Amino acid sequence: MSLKRKDLLGMADLSVEEIQLILQTADSFKEVSGRDIKKVPTLRGKTVVNLFFEPSTRTRTSFELAAKRLSADVINFAASTSSVVKGETLLDTASNIEAMQADFIVLRHPSPGAPGILARSLRASVVNAGDGSHEHPTQALLDLFTLREKKREFKGLCLVIVGDIAHSRVARSNISALVKLGAEVRVAGPPTMMPRHIEELGVRVFFNLDEALKGADVIMMLRLQIERQGIALFPSIREYSRIYGLTPERLRLAERDVLVMHPGPINRGVEISPEVADSGASVILDQVTNGVAIRMAVLYLLSAGR
Amino acid sequence: MPAGSLMEVKKVGRTVMEAQEIARAISRVAHEIIEHNHGIEGVALVGIRTGGVYLANRLAVKLGEIEGASVPVGALDITLYRDDLDARKEQPTLRRTEIPFDITDRKVILVDDVLFTGRTTRAAMDGLIDFGRPSEIQLAVLVDRGHRQLPIKATYVGKNLPTAIGETVEVYLEEMGRPDGVVILTP
């Protein structure tokens, strides 16, 4: 079986079978990353372009490592964040990259749907590395991989996503995948950060974090986008932290073997207390390790879809 | 022609090895391994997924019976080292490589079910070398069907089987859920 698609744009259009295939393939790549020689010749001669219109260390490094461990050549193309990129500029950039014979374009862009535009106009495979508040599929996949490693089954798992649900592509990608896989998904956050009609995605909405945490097997904290504070979604960081921050006391409301996840970068003492971030329940660094294996799997599987 | 109808073309099967013959071949190869390596010290078996792994396990049992010592067994998935990934419409399913011992300075015997073009063996040697530097790599196969495309020769052969290039050789093993047997399929 293989992914019969050229691009990975989001979790919404992946079937359960495709998700399982990516996770299963990542198992093998995790083994490769554990070797002394962390490199296989699979994508030798292929070119991966990391095209980032937003700042990122983790995701870009992770994609770069994944490509290099598959023996592909990598070019990092960082567009400055200050130049807001309009539609035609993006397509111009795209045709330049096409002219360089790139095989994969990994795109992060502030506009939802930007990877889809590139995917339609290019022969290269496009991987969405985050498009605005829309999707971040490889993050969701690495979260799923980590969950599967620790909890084995998705069915019946009770999972709480906490924070700015409205602006989070991580939340959107995860909700769409986890509901499909049969998990019970709750979302918690202040009303100003809760999109209307989110229940229609099959999740339960909580404005009280303590209520949401009761019986939770997994808590997925989202980063508080402090840079958005000007938009006045909450009165102060301190208040947010008091009402929606994950503390050791709150952690005790969840199941005993609860897992704490965070896509990073974490704001210690804001959405998550240092004690929780560094506790045994935290799998934050496992998520980072697994990210490389997931991205290797995605590049490998897409390389047949062209 | 759609892919579905390709599957429906009936292939004529001719059984060329049965369970007892396979067992004898494994037994003989085990003795040859011991003779060739003056015992089994420093010897390790690495099966090529999937059939080769089952055969490696059977060889290890046999070697243990004869020599009274155990031989480490690993499993190698060669998919990532294939030279035809570009030419395929579908990516082959990846399986895990598990070599739970250090291969450096060991005599590693690669085990495969069928030796054909030699490309799998080439990929396996490349894969193996990423795990260390064996003192020697040997090759044991159940069936050598000829038609090599690379300068590769097996150290131990269960059965030499002359075939036509268009034929398919299938090795069935109990571990896969069907009785042991080697079958030649003619299109």
Side-chain angles (χ1 to χ4, degrees):
Chain A
M1 185 183 164
S2 83
L3 279 187
K4 295 219 175 47
R5 50 178 75 237
K6 174 172 91 64
D7 314 289
L8 177 67
L9 301 177
M11 297 307 290
D13 53 348
L14 284 187
S15 68
V16 170
E17 291 72 30
E18 285 176 304
I19 294 172
Q20 298 285 13
L21 174 68
I22 298 171
L23 300 181
Q24 186 197 326
T25 306
D27 273 335
S28 301
F29 286 114
K30 189 160 185 188
E31 180 268 314
V32 172
S33 290
R35 296 181 189 173
D36 281 345
I37 299 177
K38 300 170 182 54
K39 207 177 181 79
V40 288
T42 318
L43 294 185
R44 202 170 45 179
K46 301 276 186 271
T47 306
V48 176
V49 177
N50 279 328
L51 183 56
F52 278 61
F53 288 84
E54 274 185 352
S56 159
T57 331
R58 198 176 334 260
T59 306
R60 195 193 48 78
T61 313
S62 183
F63 268 110
E64 187 170 348
L65 268 179
K68 285 183 170 168
R69 288 186 184 165
L70 289 167
S71 300
D73 295 306
V74 188
I75 298 166
N76 290 310
F77 223 87
S80 110
T81 38
S82 57
S83 66
V84 177
V85 180
K86 303 273 179 354
E88 65 268 305
T89 320
L90 179 62
L91 285 175
D92 269 350
T93 315
S95 35
N96 275 288
I97 289 164
E98 184 98 294
M100 285 188 257
Q101 319 280 331
D103 299 285
F104 297 90
I105 293 174
V106 178
L107 179 68
R108 166 161 296 184
H109 198 278
S111 302
I117 295 175
L118 278 202
R120 280 191 296 277
S121 58
L122 296 184
R123 262 177 296 122
S125 287
V126 176
V127 182
N128 181 0
D131 57 338
S133 51
H134 180 219
E135 284 248 32
H136 191 354
T138 56
Q139 176 69 44
L141 286 164
L142 73 89
D143 289 341
L144 295 175
F145 187 82
T146 310
L147 277 177
R148 175 168 159 276
E149 246 180 9
K150 309 281 176 190
K151 299 280 186 190
R152 299 197 170 273
E153 283 276 345
F154 297 108
K155 270 206 174 60
L157 216 54
C158 174
L159 206 133
V160 191
I161 306 178
V162 186
D164 187 354
I165 308 295
H167 296 102
S168 173
R169 52 193 173 214
V170 177
R172 210 169 314 279
S173 289
N174 264 311
I175 289 169
S176 138
L178 286 160
V179 168
K180 236 180 282 199
L181 291 164
E184 178 199 338
V185 184
R186 304 171 177 177
V187 290
T192 47
M193 293 177 169
M194 198 59 74
R196 284 188 189 193
H197 308 301
I198 182 127
E199 315 77 45
E200 282 170 24
L201 295 180
V203 300
R204 278 178 71 196
V205 178
F206 290 79
F207 298 117
N208 180 320
L209 182 56
D210 292 0
E211 287 295 317
L213 293 180
K214 277 178 197 150
D217 299 302
V218 182
I219 308 169
M220 212 175 256
M221 299 304 296
L222 300 174
R223 184 176 73 90
L224 182 71
Q225 291 164 304
I226 298 175
E227 63 272 18
R228 286 184 192 277
Q229 219 200 337
I231 315 171
L233 295 173
F234 49 90
S236 73
I237 291 177
R238 204 162 72 179
E239 184 183 305
Y240 179 86
S241 173
R242 190 166 50 78
I243 302 179
Y244 292 104
L246 190 60
T247 57
E249 297 74 49
R250 287 217 165 96
L251 198 58
R252 279 195 280 277
L253 297 171
E255 290 294 309
R256 275 170 49 130
D257 57 348
V258 67
L259 295 183
V260 177
M261 307 179 88
H262 193 302
I266 62 176
N267 295 311
R268 281 175 183 268
V270 181
E271 71 269 2
I272 187 165
S273 77
E275 297 93 311
V276 174
D278 302 330
S279 72
S282 160
V283 292
I284 298 173
L285 292 177
D286 298 77
Q287 290 173 271
V288 178
T289 305
N290 291 337
V292 178
I294 277 292
R295 289 169 178 127
M296 288 173 84
V298 167
L299 293 174
Y300 167 73
L301 289 168
L302 289 181
S303 69
R306 243 171 299 125
Chain B
M1 179 161 49
S5 61
L6 258 179
M7 304 292 288
E8 285 154 29
V9 173
K10 280 241 167 59
K11 287 190 170 181
V12 187
R14 175 160 56 91
T15 302
V16 287
M17 276 178 105
E18 285 178 352
Q20 201 177 37
E21 250 186 299
I22 292 176
R24 281 193 194 121
I26 289 171
S27 179
R28 180 172 49 76
V29 167
H31 281 100
E32 284 177 16
I33 288 172
I34 293 163
E35 190 184 4
H36 188 100
N37 295 289
H38 311 291
I40 53 169
E41 210 185 305
V43 169
L45 300 172
V46 173
I48 299 173
R49 296 236 187 238
T50 317
V53 179
Y54 302 133
L55 292 169
N57 284 326
R58 290 193 193 186
L59 268 176
V61 170
K62 203 80 212 165
L63 289 170
E65 281 171 16
I66 305 167
E67 288 288 288
S70 70
V71 180
V73 185
L76 182 66
D77 184 275
I78 58 116
T79 310
L80 297 171
Y81 296 87
R82 296 181 76 105
D83 59 6
D84 60 350
L85 287 173
D86 262 352
R88 298 168 77 98
K89 281 268 180 297
E90 282 217 353
Q91 292 297 56
T93 307
L94 271 189
R95 294 183 191 82
R96 266 181 103 89
T97 289
E98 284 160 303
I99 302 182
F101 48 87
D102 187 6
I103 61 164
T104 299
D105 294 334
R106 275 188 202 267
K107 296 176 192 169
V108 176
I109 304 174
L110 284 171
V111 184
D112 203 358
D113 45 11
V114 181
L115 177 58
F116 182 26
T117 60
R119 287 178 192 268
T120 301
T121 311
R122 195 280 309 160
M125 287 193 286
D126 277 354
L128 197 61
I129 282 165
D130 278 356
F131 286 85
R133 186 179 183 279
S135 64
E136 219 179 291
I137 300 179
Q138 302 169 12
L139 174 65
V141 297
L142 181 63
V143 173
D144 181 351
R145 60 165 294 191
H147 305 288
R148 217 77 75 239
Q149 294 169 356
L150 297 172
I152 278 168
K153 185 171 178 290
T155 325
Y156 315 99
V157 180
K159 188 182 180 77
N160 280 300
L161 199 62
T163 58
I165 187 106
E167 290 173 327
T168 311
V169 176
E170 297 273 10
V171 173
Y172 304 122
L173 297 170
E174 269 178 9
E175 294 90 329
M176 306 167 174
R178 44 190 304 177
D180 281 4
V182 178
V183 176
I184 297 184
L185 301 171
T186 311

